[in-house]
Amino acid sequence: MKLGYEMVIGLETHVELHTRSKIFCSCLNAFGAEPNTYVCPVCMGLPGALPVFNEQVLRYAAMAGMALNCHVHHRSRFDRKNYFYPDLPKAYQISQFYRPLCENGFLIVQTSGGEKRIGITRIHMEEDAGKLLHDEKNGTALDMNRCGVPLIEIVSEPDIRSAEEAVCYLRKLRAILTYTGVSDCKMNEGSLRCDVNLSIHKPGEPFGTRTEMKNLNSFQSVEKAIEAEFERQVAAVEAGETVVQETRRFDQKSGKTTSMRRKENSADYRYFPDPDLPEIYLTDEDMTALREKIPPLPDERRERYMKEYSVSAYAAELLTAERWLADYFERGAAKAESPVALANLILGEVFAQLTARDTQHTGERDESSLPISPEHLAKLSDLMNSGKVNSSTGKKILGALFQEDCDPERYAQEHELFTVSDDRVLNAAVEKVLAANPDMVVSYKAGKLTVEKALMGKAMAETKGKADPERLRRLLLDSIARL
Ligand SMILES: [Zn+2]
């Protein structure tokens, strides 16, 4: 809220489906290939080429709808959306307008303000367009590998009231879709992209005119774009200007939104049923079979982790935010003596080391980002939890496992890293440090208690960092007291 204004947000999210081939031809659906290598007359839109619908797209789209609590229609149909698309040469996009596959769904998000239900108006299937590559030297080139990649567009109700809620919605959407297995939802590869529709009003008054910001491709840019556009609209209305319906671009560098073009209305697209494609029909049997394929979703797993493994609600929410991570945790927890300690190790030191290793700062992770087997990580967690290796040695072993995955117990043995708790060894280290630093002992005795930390550091170094820290501290303080 600012000056009594509230923001009203609806999100349109495009998600590329993870099928083997494209939606209307047999070209491969793959990311990152040489430009224009996965193309054919159909996806290039050459005259006379006829589309043939890939039924896997229908299965995935229906599963996405079911996982998002939608009503999935038995009958739906494709329409042509006519437009001048420089990146889609046939000048129309095959989409669904009059008869979308799914309607009336919702998802539940956890925000700092509590639980919130956000409605989903509809989910429809459509084809993706190509990619324009702008180059100062050579001008603009067109890569058509993405033409005909299957998409679902998920349209939310205007239920969102803050940038935080928008990001929570997208995170939850991504979690549900990746669990369902219909998409990898990698924002940095464009397989999840988001358009933000935003207007402002004072509570109790009708909604204002909305603007649209297109193709935001990170959670951070969604958040920043929303905040910037809200500020702009409030300032405009306060200055007596009117907000016009238009598409705006969010510039990462300046953090501002600028006008791109006046927004079209749906009538401008002259939608009509695509005569090349028959009506789509899902039988009751199809529906049942698809529903059975949907695995337990994040909320269900979160509840189970809290019950079965006694992890906190917060930790359970983080562990279930991505399916690969939840799967990983479960495999480890089955072996670990303390699943709670394993959860803390993953969310603490493992994530810290992952972030440090993420040189491109994409923040996108999958199972390949964590090259340590869950069984080995569980063993390391047990070694640390039982005190057999102390926490700083544990971190070092973790770093070594990132380099080369191996049995942490054997690694600790080979490198002599087990915690030293033999009093004779520890006392020898303490005596040596005290003898070498008489002035520090004097200042400690004179009341400068912070010296303890320095002495502990020296004694710890004497054991090559392997001492049981609690035991070492006790012996150190006892020795000083006797002096
Ligand atoms: Zn093709």
Side-chain angles (χ1 to χ4, degrees):
M1 288 267 214
K2 180 173 183 174
L3 302 171
Y5 292 97
E6 179 180 64
M7 56 176 105
V8 176
I9 298 166
L11 297 179
E12 290 169 17
T13 313
H14 286 93
V15 176
E16 289 181 355
L17 297 177
H18 197 49
T19 54
R20 220 184 103 70
S21 54
K22 293 184 179 180
I23 184 168
F24 298 121
C25 62
S26 55
C27 291
L28 273 189
N29 169 19
F31 178 81
E34 280 291 301
N36 299 311
T37 49
Y38 296 150
V39 291
C40 74
V42 173
C43 55
M44 289 168 76
L46 298 189
L50 285 173
V52 177
F53 183 43
N54 174 358
E55 280 185 32
Q56 187 60 33
V57 175
L58 174 62
R59 291 184 205 111
Y60 278 172
M63 283 169 71
M66 290 168 182
L68 294 167
N69 307 298
C70 289
H71 178 74
V72 180
H73 293 295
H74 282 288
R75 287 172 191 278
S76 73
R77 206 175 60 190
F78 283 109
D79 300 299
R80 287 189 183 179
K81 182 179 186 180
N82 297 281
Y83 194 66
F84 175 76
Y85 297 95
D87 47 6
L88 193 62
K90 65 185 188 289
Y92 62 84
Q93 180 190 29
I94 304 178
S95 181
Q96 296 190 298
F97 181 68
Y98 297 106
R99 303 273 296 275
L101 180 65
C102 315
E103 286 180 287
N104 297 328
F106 66 89
L107 56 74
I108 306 277
V109 296
Q110 317 286 333
T111 70
S112 56
E115 198 170 274
K116 172 147 184 174
R117 182 186 197 273
I118 295 168
I120 289 170
T121 317
R122 54 189 270 152
I123 302 178
H124 64 256
M125 299 178 282
E126 61 188 24
E127 60 183 338
D128 208 344
K131 238 187 224 167
L132 293 173
L133 309 167
H134 303 286
D135 181 329
E136 267 179 34
K137 241 198 285 171
N138 303 314
T140 296
L142 173 58
D143 174 11
M144 299 175 77
N145 282 345
R146 208 176 64 180
C147 285
V149 164
L151 289 180
I152 48 175
E153 179 174 336
I154 303 162
V155 182
S156 88
E157 290 287 308
D159 289 342
I160 297 165
R161 292 291 175 275
S162 68
E164 187 205 354
E165 284 180 15
V167 171
C168 288
Y169 167 88
L170 288 172
R171 282 189 195 283
K172 196 49 160 295
L173 191 67
R174 182 170 75 162
I176 291 172
L177 295 175
T178 51
Y179 273 59
T180 312
V182 302
S183 173
D184 59 18
C185 293
K186 287 186 181 164
M187 295 187 88
N188 60 339
E189 293 184 3
S191 48
L192 189 153
R193 320 190 288 264
C194 179
D195 303 344
V196 174
N197 286 296
L198 188 149
S199 67
I200 61 167
H201 78 142
K202 290 190 168 164
E205 290 175 6
F207 292 169
T209 305
R210 69 196 163 120
T211 60
E212 182 181 45
M213 289 169 284
K214 273 193 166 313
N215 285 333
L216 298 165
N217 59 3
S218 72
F219 292 137
Q220 199 192 31
S221 55
V222 168
E223 198 174 330
K224 296 232 163 101
I226 287 174
E227 275 154 12
E229 180 59 10
F230 177 62
E231 295 275 321
R232 187 192 71 86
Q233 289 190 18
V234 169
V237 170
E238 282 294 304
E241 296 161 20
T242 46
V243 174
V244 291
Q245 186 179 336
E246 62 185 354
T247 301
R248 298 182 68 84
R249 178 187 285 121
F250 174 65
D251 180 43
Q252 285 277 10
K253 278 197 196 123
S254 69
K256 290 201 165 112
T257 69
T258 49
S259 180
M260 264 171 82
R261 58 168 188 260
R262 290 290 164 99
K263 174 72 182 158
E264 314 74 18
N265 281 311
S266 59
D268 300 331
Y269 292 118
R270 206 173 52 92
Y271 282 100
F272 66 88
D274 193 304
D276 289 339
L277 289 157
E279 190 182 55
I280 299 156
Y281 187 67
L282 278 169
T283 64
D284 283 332
E285 291 74 33
D286 294 335
M287 296 273 197
T288 311
L290 292 173
R291 207 169 278 282
E292 277 168 6
K293 280 192 184 159
I294 296 173
L297 296 175
D299 285 348
E300 191 182 330
R301 283 209 193 182
R302 196 188 67 222
E303 298 295 317
R304 186 159 60 77
Y305 292 2
M306 290 163 67
K307 244 188 243 148
E308 220 167 276
Y309 304 126
S310 312
V311 300
S312 68
Y314 179 70
E317 178 85 13
L318 293 176
L319 288 168
T320 52
E322 295 190 41
R323 184 179 178 175
W324 71 268
L325 181 62
D327 288 344
Y328 185 95
F329 171 69
E330 280 187 33
R331 279 170 59 202
K335 299 273 176 189
E337 281 158 24
S338 164
V340 172
L342 176 65
N344 291 339
L345 179 63
I346 291 175
L347 298 174
E349 190 57 25
V350 171
F351 270 28
Q353 293 201 17
L354 271 177
T355 305
R357 296 168 65 84
D358 181 8
T359 46
Q360 278 147 34
H361 305 291
T362 61
E364 304 258 356
R365 292 172 187 149
D366 56 29
E367 53 275 17
S368 68
S369 342
L370 189 44
I372 304 170
S373 84
E375 292 76 18
H376 288 161
L377 195 69
K379 213 169 194 182
L380 176 61
S381 164
D382 287 344
L383 291 172
M384 292 168 78
N385 193 45
S386 64
K388 283 186 187 149
V389 303
N390 66 28
S391 75
S392 66
T393 309
K395 287 176 189 176
K396 273 184 220 148
I397 298 176
L398 180 64
L401 294 189
F402 264 112
Q403 296 299 329
E404 195 185 342
D405 190 20
C406 63
D407 181 342
E409 193 161 15
R410 214 185 58 217
Y411 184 90
Q413 234 152 26
E414 281 170 9
H415 294 79
E416 297 181 357
L417 295 172
F418 287 118
T419 304
V420 177
S421 44
D422 181 336
D423 280 3
R424 279 172 307 173
V425 180
L426 296 183
N427 265 323
V430 166
E431 297 311 326
K432 197 170 166 191
V433 167
L434 294 184
N437 300 282
D439 43 336
M440 288 173 89
V441 176
V442 171
S443 48
Y444 182 83
K445 291 227 167 201
K448 202 178 172 204
L449 300 179
T450 49
V451 173
E452 181 200 324
K453 216 178 162 189
L455 288 168
M456 260 299 282
K458 286 177 187 294
M460 189 54 110
E462 205 53 50
T463 68
K464 300 203 176 68
K466 294 182 292 186
D468 172 345
E470 277 315 302
R471 197 147 190 85
L472 184 67
R473 175 172 292 110
R474 201 158 352 117
L475 294 174
L476 177 76
L477 295 182
D478 286 354
S479 290
I480 295 176
R482 280 199 304 273
L483 285 174

